[in-house]
Amino acid sequence: MARTHEFRFSGNADFDFEIRTTIGQAFSGAADIGEVLAAVEGVGEKDHDGWFRAWLGLGDRIAAQADASASSGHAVSAASAYLRAASYYATALNAVASLPTEEELLPTFRKHRAAWDRWVDLVDRDIARVEIPYEDTTMPGYLFRAPGAAGDDRPLLVVANGSDGALTSLWSSAVSGALARGYHALVFDGPGQQSMLFERNVPFRPDWEAVLTPVLDFVRAQDGVDADRIALYGISQAGYWVPRALAFEHRFAAAIADPGVVDVSTSWTEHLPANMRKLLDEGQDEKFDRDMQMGMKFSHELAYTWKFRARPYGTTGYAETMRAVLQYNVTEVAARITTPLLITDPEHEQFWPGQSEQLASLTPGVSTLVKFTEAEGADFHVQPLARALTEQRMFDWLDDRLGR
């Protein structure tokens, strides 16, 4: 029998991970495994356009089913289908990274958000659209209230996204579990994320406390929220956002980094040849840009992906982008964290291997490291096929920290 980390849904590692991530959302209703596997069957490992079209087509088909159910008054069926459609559009949105142009990006994002909003309107949940004050503008978000919480102050979980995740992934990774346990929850688009990037062109920033402090101020002011029991969860690159913010913002009662990320740049620099890293270290940006541009001519796919991944940083040149990414590092500030911190540590972590343990070593007085293994079916970045197990472990820990 093949080991789970050797089994592949696709010969393309990126396709394989996207399939795992999407079907892993099935337990929370954001995917249906059979329709996913049927949609991607036969897509070649180098067929990037076919990959995008498969997900976009699946989203369109399920959204049409949702429309039909809604028009016939079947609200439960419609809500279910809209949530799944939103999830599939989100995967299609990521697939734009390998296309020659980004002309499909904004239309696909808007289909995703429209399906999500239709789910918000129809699902039997207490969900409010909110605008969170942020500098001279606002950040769009959604405030979920726990069932039966009227007149009762409840704990709240702030859920922070990673570099390119969609709101549907946050529903599956944390929000549905929080509501089931009596927590309120808040999701939002921060700088460089989804609507803030695609529609407003607001880029990432490394000092994420400037984002999460106003978010915390906002939720503390909401009716029915226990201001002393507000926790924070961050997935994927938010495994950096969370500890960075905690180093400066100490009012969260507890926090979870899924997984821990100390240095975001390693997922970029580890692919650089030694001579290219040397040029960067020596400040030879012109030579670095020249050699990178030459290298990109030999891989159109890499050139497209680089452009897509660099966009949230608000940079243009190759060296400029690398220097921006190098700022996303908590090594020097992690010791300031005083908030209890749970750090997930999946076997075969492919983007930031070893960094969960590194973060734990930088925060020994406050952190708890929880390993996830292949034997449990819980390996790979953010445990895509073990989200129920992840939910169990992190909420049991959180309940204990918050006295629930």
Side-chain angles (χ1 to χ4, degrees):
M1 180 179 295
R3 294 166 61 83
T4 58
H5 78 278
E6 295 173 346
F7 172 79
R8 291 287 184 268
F9 290 101
S10 169
N12 182 306
D14 292 336
F15 293 0
D16 175 76
F17 184 67
E18 290 283 9
I19 293 170
R20 290 171 185 264
T21 299
T22 306
I23 66 176
Q25 297 174 11
F27 90 100
S28 64
D32 207 1
I33 296 173
E35 64 192 15
V36 168
L37 296 181
V40 299
E41 184 179 8
V43 177
E45 61 186 69
K46 295 182 180 180
D47 184 4
H48 296 283
D49 184 71
W51 176 250
F52 168 74
R53 298 295 165 192
W55 289 104
L56 183 68
L58 179 58
D60 286 345
R61 180 166 65 83
I62 303 305
Q65 292 178 7
D67 290 342
S69 291
S71 65
S72 299
H74 304 299
V76 172
S77 295
S80 172
Y82 280 125
L83 180 61
R84 299 192 333 267
S87 179
Y88 305 148
Y89 284 136
T91 307
L93 189 62
N94 283 342
V96 174
S98 296
L99 299 182
T101 74
E102 293 185 350
E103 65 182 17
E104 298 279 7
L105 191 150
L106 198 54
T108 304
F109 167 71
R110 287 177 172 161
K111 284 185 174 185
H112 157 73
R113 190 54 60 91
W116 167 268
D117 279 329
R118 289 291 286 139
W119 172 73
V120 166
D121 291 336
L122 288 171
V123 71
D124 186 19
R125 298 281 184 176
D126 184 353
I127 310 171
R129 294 172 178 82
V130 297
E131 292 291 334
I132 303 167
Y134 168 71
E135 296 188 340
D136 59 352
T137 184
T138 60
M139 297 181 291
Y142 297 78
L143 177 61
F144 295 75
R145 292 192 178 273
D152 182 15
D153 286 352
R154 296 288 186 93
L156 181 142
L157 184 66
V158 173
V159 183
N161 222 329
S163 63
D164 55 10
L167 294 180
T168 40
S169 67
L170 299 184
W171 166 257
S172 294
S173 64
V175 175
S176 63
L179 297 178
R181 290 163 175 82
Y183 292 71
H184 303 312
L186 176 84
V187 300
F188 66 99
D189 288 339
Q193 296 174 331
Q194 298 285 288
S195 65
M196 290 289 281
L197 177 66
F198 301 144
E199 297 184 321
R200 304 190 200 178
N201 203 32
V202 177
F204 285 156
R205 58 187 300 168
D207 54 340
W208 207 249
E209 65 278 7
V211 177
L212 284 176
T213 288
V215 169
L216 181 57
D217 290 339
F218 175 82
V219 294
R220 284 171 63 92
Q222 301 305 303
D223 293 338
V225 173
D226 185 338
D228 294 325
R229 292 193 295 170
I230 298 174
L232 174 62
Y233 168 85
I235 191 168
S236 193
Q237 190 164 311
Y240 162 80
W241 308 134
V242 164
R244 166 66 202 207
L246 294 178
F248 300 91
E249 173 54 77
H250 303 291
R251 293 178 295 166
F252 285 102
I256 300 165
D258 184 16
V261 181
V262 173
D263 181 0
V264 172
S265 73
T266 60
S267 64
W268 296 66
T269 58
E270 67 183 8
H271 303 294
L272 289 177
N275 66 308
M276 294 295 291
R277 184 58 197 260
K278 186 171 183 290
L279 290 176
L280 198 63
D281 292 342
E282 293 175 350
Q284 299 190 56
D285 291 6
E286 187 176 338
K287 290 184 178 179
F288 182 88
D289 285 355
R290 179 200 62 200
D291 289 354
M292 285 290 289
Q293 186 173 11
M294 185 177 299
M296 293 295 179
K297 292 180 179 179
F298 294 96
S299 175
H300 296 302
E301 177 189 338
L302 180 59
Y304 304 149
T305 300
W306 174 280
K307 181 180 179 181
F308 189 88
R309 300 300 177 196
R311 181 177 181 174
Y313 291 91
T315 53
T316 52
Y318 296 110
E320 180 188 357
T321 299
M322 292 304 306
R323 296 201 186 286
V325 178
L326 286 165
Q327 297 179 59
Y328 293 67
N329 189 312
V330 297
T331 303
E332 300 300 322
V333 300
R336 301 183 187 184
I337 298 174
T338 59
T339 306
L341 177 63
L342 180 75
I343 306 167
T344 66
D345 184 20
E347 193 173 4
H348 306 129
E349 164 66 38
Q350 64 267 46
F351 300 116
W352 293 287
Q355 292 201 23
S356 289
E357 290 187 343
Q358 186 182 357
L359 180 60
S361 71
L362 291 170
T363 55
V366 297
S367 60
T368 300
L369 187 71
V370 179
K371 292 187 177 296
F372 290 85
T373 67
E374 177 185 19
E376 300 168 305
D379 53 343
F380 296 116
H381 181 62
V382 300
Q383 311 81 238
L385 293 180
R387 293 311 305 179
L389 176 63
T390 303
E391 177 185 291
Q392 170 199 322
R393 289 178 176 170
M394 72 184 198
F395 278 107
D396 286 359
W397 177 88
L398 201 56
D399 285 348
D400 290 343
R401 300 289 82 70
L402 301 186
R404 290 182 58 75

